[in-house]
Amino acid sequence: MPKDLDPKFIVDMNVGKLSVWLRVLGYDTKFINPIDDGELVQVAENENRILLTRDNGILLRKKCTSGAVRAFFTRGTSWREQLREVYEHFELNRNSSFSRCVDCNGSLSAIGAEQVQSLLPEHVGSSQKEFYTCNDCQKLYWPGGHWERMNIMLDTILS
């Protein structure tokens, strides 16, 4: 399959957890739940997103069979298998990891420690120097132990 330079995805409820991990990798991934299958396909078409699913019924919709909407059926039953399958099929990379909000899909921007100091637990404020905020929901992120564990998990899954 030819590699998309910057693929955007939309996932159905059958692979919802996959959205979090594609966001961790830095890929724009929409997850709307609940949503009718017809609406889901329409959003995919309108926003030029690749629809990821485990639902054969969605794949049989005219917009999917005609090619108006690119859809991919993942065979994996766990999010780990699904992530590996999507990563390999679409030739994804980790170049933009930790650049999107895992909750809302917004992009992250660096923010100065002095701007967030009062919002942080004491141990974080004293041990971390790098902070990011979601441009949409304002959630705060920092490359602490959780990021390290997520990177190790990605190494294991994707290697």
Side-chain angles (χ1 to χ4, degrees):
M1 156 147 278
K3 183 176 176 163
D4 285 304
L5 294 178
D6 195 16
K8 297 188 308 181
F9 300 101
I10 187 166
V11 302
D12 73 0
M13 64 183 220
N14 297 302
V15 294
K17 191 159 185 175
L18 178 59
S19 67
V20 170
W21 288 91
L22 286 170
R23 291 170 183 172
V24 168
L25 290 174
Y27 289 94
D28 182 343
T29 307
K30 189 170 264 194
F31 176 48
I32 305 166
N33 188 24
I35 189 171
D36 172 80
D37 288 353
E39 278 184 76
L40 182 72
V41 171
Q42 191 61 53
V43 171
E45 181 181 35
N46 292 348
E47 298 181 12
N48 194 29
R49 292 179 179 275
I50 300 166
L51 195 156
L52 305 175
T53 185
R54 285 194 43 76
D55 181 347
N56 282 318
I58 291 176
L59 298 176
L60 296 175
R61 290 183 169 266
K62 186 174 183 177
K63 289 186 180 197
C64 295
T65 59
S66 71
V69 170
R70 286 178 58 194
F72 178 76
F73 181 83
T74 177
R75 296 182 188 334
T77 55
S78 75
W79 68 265
R80 288 172 176 85
E81 294 167 332
Q82 294 162 1
L83 181 63
R84 183 181 192 121
E85 189 176 3
V86 169
Y87 185 85
E88 290 174 354
H89 181 82
F90 292 101
E91 299 178 19
L92 304 181
N93 62 58
R94 293 172 65 178
N95 296 342
S96 297
S97 292
F98 302 102
S99 62
R100 298 199 80 80
C101 179
V102 297
D103 288 341
C104 79
N105 194 40
S107 58
L108 303 183
S109 295
I111 190 167
E114 65 284 347
Q115 293 176 273
V116 297
Q117 201 66 35
S118 65
L119 305 172
L120 301 170
E122 189 175 321
H123 71 281
V124 171
S126 62
S127 65
Q128 299 298 316
K129 308 247 183 291
E130 226 176 296
F131 299 93
Y132 302 89
T133 187
C134 174
N135 295 323
D136 294 339
C137 74
Q138 281 66 56
K139 182 174 178 176
L140 290 175
Y141 292 89
W142 55 89
H146 191 64
W147 279 26
E148 291 172 24
R149 288 185 297 280
M150 291 169 84
N151 262 318
I152 290 168
M153 188 174 298
L154 287 171
D155 288 343
T156 302
I157 294 168
L158 303 176
S159 61

